[in-house]
Amino acid sequence: MAEKEKKIFDTSLFARLLQYIKPYRSVFVISLFCVVGLALFGALRPYILKEAIDVKIANKAYDGFMVYMGIMLGLLILEVVSQLLFIYYASWLGQSVVKDIRVKLFRHMLKFKMTYFDKSSVGVLITRAVTDMERIADIFGEGLFMIFSDILKMLVVAGFMAFINLKLSLIVFVTMPIVLVATKIFQKYMKIAFEDVRTEVSNLNSFVQERVTGMKILQLFTREDTEYKRFKAINERHKKGWLKTVWYNSIFFPIAEFLASLTMAMVILVGGFDAISALPETSLGDLISFTMFIPMLFRPLNQIANKFNTLQMGMVAADRVFKVLDTTSNIDDSGTIEATHFNGTISFNDVRFAYVKDEEVLKGISFEVNAGETVAIVGATGAGKSTIINLLNRFYDINSGTIKIDDTDIKAMTLTSLRSQIAVVLQDVFLFADTILNNITLNNESITEEDVVNAAKAIGIHDFIASLPKGYHYNVKERGVMLSSGQRQLISFLRAYVTNPSILILDEATSSVDSYSEQLIQDATDKITEGRTSIVIAHRLATIQQADKIIVMDAGEIVEIGTHKSLLEKEQGYYKNLYEVQFLKAEAV
């Protein structure tokens, strides 16, 4: 186990968390005042009751007795008000801090390289951004201030007890070290248990998220029973993690309750004999007040252990969240050039790249794309076609070589301006659970509905959208399940076109659509590629015959470059072989 995990309480982590309180200092101070009020007003009530018994009731002096009762009522009201304000402000502070951390976390994740998401579970990231954040909020609402309140109340109560009757106080104080040792042991094991619980929660979220997303695959391949059994196994581990915490609680709290009851019995026994002796040192008021003080002393101790559980869970969650925040997986965005428009000249010069170290996907490729050209990139799966698109958009940084647009290295440009001038239509279209309009504009306020309608008419898909219920305001639901694959592709095509990009990229844009949608896309392609640099990646060679240039790739290298006609003229050419194989298959069908 790492040194950091051996610590029962990580003070450096806690100090880092407290930094987020700075904008809310006033609320923090109010909460602290409320905590002090809770401790003071609560401890004063038994003392006032003792005085009322010894001064008035024992002497049968009824005059002024109601004053004591009035004071007790006033203290009770003040205690209730303090508790009300404390609960509200502590919870408000917790939620405000969590809001700030969550926003910072999401903003941080938005800038991660694609490599990070390639290696990270979506379910785990969701756990960090949602569930773990609520545990951090509990640190302030139920953990930190409550622990401080309980400790302060114990100190105040112990002080009153020693002031009232030292002999009875010593009986109480003898049992306190036993409870404190038990609490420390309990906290140590609970921290380990909660770390296990948080790990299993992340695993559970990740498993459910992936299976719900891939439900169609599970049902198509009849894997329901298998995945059900796997889910039961994960859920069993999750249950065991929680039962471990229940087991520790079931040991600690009965022991603490037994010690409190034993202490109460000893105080009553010793105090009672002393009260009825010839020279009593203990008054009836002392005994009555101690029967109130003892629960006030032991109950906070039990609560400290319980609240420390909450604090531990929050600290474990905070540690996991800060690990994501500390992850340095951002693309270097130190470029200063704001690209407002590209002529469209693209050059790759000896570009090398590997997703995994020592396993190059691109092996020193070089090529030129002239402004306004339509260039097709073809090759077998895994040849490196889509990687070229990822690198041009700087989703990943190259290992060596240079990529330039209009003779400017893309690293010299700001990421936002670079990507704003490049529009990509992917094979696997992702649509949000929102309206068609919002999926097209992505809530870009500079793009109006009129702009979208005009763009749809220009590329010939307005009629299709208008035929849907509510037209452009039709909600496509999660991942666009209310539309066919061809319709989703058309929406993504319009999404790319409406931004008026300098460079257009079609990555297998027609490989999974029907013939009608393909014709719409082909017509639209002819429209929007006119006068604009375009890169088309395609397996279906029939769709790129009119390209100005075709780049043929194999195993991360460029093997041929030329027009469709010139490449077909090459005897034993790679492209010619691909073309003939495809058309032979088509003829066979």
Side-chain angles (χ1 to χ4, degrees), residues 171-213:
I171 296 173
V172 177
F173 297 158
V174 165
T175 60
M176 294 297 293
I178 302 173
V179 179
L180 289 172
V181 170
T183 301
K184 186 174 182 180
I185 296 171
F186 173 70
Q187 291 167 352
K188 176 182 177 181
Y189 284 98
M190 284 300 287
K191 182 178 189 298
I192 298 172
F194 281 134
E195 286 174 345
D196 293 340
V197 168
R198 296 312 307 155
T199 298
E200 293 307 327
V201 167
S202 295
N203 292 338
L204 193 62
N205 286 347
S206 180
F207 184 90
V208 172
Q209 186 272 332
E210 288 182 350
R211 270 60 189 180
V212 171
T213 303

Side-chain angles (χ1 to χ4, degrees), residues 145-157:
F145 288 115
M146 288 302 296
I147 290 175
F148 181 69
S149 173
D150 289 340
I151 291 175
L152 186 61
K153 183 179 289 186
M154 289 170 60
L155 292 174
V156 173
V157 167

Side-chain angles (χ1 to χ4, degrees), residues 121-399:
S121 166
V122 174
V124 170
L125 291 177
I126 291 173
T127 301
R128 299 292 172 268
V130 181
T131 310
D132 284 344
M133 288 298 177
E134 293 307 317
R135 299 290 77 79
I136 293 175
D138 291 340
I139 290 178
F140 301 96
E142 300 177 22
L144 170 66
F145 288 115
M146 288 302 296
I147 290 175
F148 181 69
S149 173
D150 289 340
I151 291 175
L152 186 61
K153 183 179 289 186
M154 289 170 60
L155 292 174
V156 173
V157 167
F160 271 100
M161 291 173 71
F163 175 74
I164 292 171
N165 192 309
L166 186 59
K167 182 168 69 173
L168 295 183
S169 299
L170 290 175
I171 296 173
V172 177
F173 297 158
V174 165
T175 60
M176 294 297 293
I178 302 173
V179 179
L180 289 172
V181 170
T183 301
K184 186 174 182 180
I185 296 171
F186 173 70
Q187 291 167 352
K188 176 182 177 181
Y189 284 98
M190 284 300 287
K191 182 178 189 298
I192 298 172
F194 281 134
E195 286 174 345
D196 293 340
V197 168
R198 296 312 307 155
T199 298
E200 293 307 327
V201 167
S202 295
N203 292 338
L204 193 62
N205 286 347
S206 180
F207 184 90
V208 172
Q209 186 272 332
E210 288 182 350
R211 270 60 189 180
V212 171
T213 303
M215 188 61 69
K216 182 181 290 187
I217 298 298
L218 298 184
Q219 293 183 356
L220 280 173
F221 289 89
T222 63
R223 306 306 296 166
E224 296 95 332
D225 290 342
T226 301
E227 295 303 317
Y228 171 69
K229 290 176 183 176
R230 292 184 64 188
F231 179 76
K232 282 184 66 177
I234 294 174
N235 222 15
E236 181 67 22
R237 293 200 301 271
H238 179 256
K239 182 193 76 173
K240 287 180 179 178
W242 272 111
L243 286 180
K244 191 182 293 183
T245 68
V246 173
W247 170 245
Y248 295 148
N249 279 310
S250 66
I251 295 174
F252 173 77
F253 286 106
I255 291 175
E257 191 65 31
F258 171 76
L259 289 172
S261 299
L262 184 62
T263 303
M264 178 77 78
M266 290 298 297
V267 166
I268 292 175
L269 180 66
V270 173
F273 274 116
D274 183 62
I276 60 178
S277 64
L279 297 172
E281 296 178 6
T282 302
S283 68
L284 183 61
D286 291 348
L287 276 178
I288 296 298
S289 65
F290 266 70
T291 60
M292 294 179 67
F293 276 133
I294 290 173
M296 292 176 69
L297 190 65
F298 278 85
R299 191 178 298 117
L301 190 59
N302 294 349
Q303 288 178 349
I304 285 175
N306 197 29
K307 298 308 177 185
F308 201 88
N309 294 346
T310 301
L311 182 61
Q312 291 284 38
M313 289 193 73
M315 293 294 285
V316 170
D319 183 49
R320 294 175 184 272
V321 169
F322 285 142
K323 281 180 180 177
V324 178
L325 281 171
D326 292 338
T327 300
T328 54
S329 182
N330 297 355
I331 290 286
D332 178 24
D333 192 15
S334 58
T336 57
I337 298 175
E338 291 288 341
T340 57
H341 178 74
F342 292 143
N343 292 324
T345 301
I346 302 171
S347 66
F348 276 57
N349 182 30
D350 195 25
V351 172
R352 293 183 176 274
F353 174 75
Y355 292 104
V356 180
K357 189 177 180 181
D358 299 326
E359 296 181 18
E360 283 191 333
V361 178
L362 297 183
K363 304 172 183 178
I365 66 168
S366 300
F367 64 87
E368 298 281 341
V369 178
N370 297 321
E373 277 189 338
T374 296
V375 175
I377 303 176
V378 302
T381 300
K385 305 184 301 296
S386 295
T387 300
I388 290 176
I389 307 311
N390 289 334
L391 297 181
L392 187 60
N393 280 280
R394 290 198 69 200
F395 291 134
Y396 304 86
D397 271 336
I398 59 178
N399 299 127

